[in-house]
Amino acid sequence: MDKSNTIACQLYDYVEIACMYKLHVKAVFKNGDEVEGQAMNTGIVQFDSGAQECLLVKTQNDENLQTIVLCNLVKLVAVTENPHFSEVYF
């Protein structure tokens, strides 16, 4: 995994908080797409283009977890009110 596929270290804290508290989040991608769901876990996922750091989200419409590649995000919004963050820009 090269540096272009990673996010700044301090941003991981927010992603981990979202997973730890199973917050409902909205992920906004660089291309304008959005995904909303419950943050479940993080992980490294192997794609044809290489390994990517990801957030796994449980959406209402899907029984499976949706994989969100972190380096493709522009913003993560906490839909669930919490004392840790409301939105984070990547």
Side-chain angles (χ1 to χ4, degrees), residues 23-86:
L23 299 179
H24 186 99
V25 297
K26 177 171 70 172
V28 181
F29 295 91
K30 292 176 183 176
N31 67 3
D33 290 346
E34 297 179 356
V35 172
E36 235 181 272
Q38 185 178 24
M40 301 301 289
N41 206 351
T42 60
I44 306 293
V45 177
Q46 186 67 40
F47 294 97
D48 290 339
S49 60
Q52 300 281 341
E53 298 165 327
C54 297
L55 169 63
L56 304 175
V57 174
K58 182 179 179 182
T59 62
Q60 288 184 344
N61 302 337
D62 199 355
E63 293 179 15
N64 299 318
L65 295 178
Q66 182 151 353
T67 302
I68 295 173
V69 178
L70 294 176
C71 68
N72 291 338
L73 289 180
V74 68
K75 180 169 64 169
L76 185 66
V77 177
V79 177
T80 305
E81 285 191 38
N82 71 88
H84 307 289
F85 75 99
S86 56

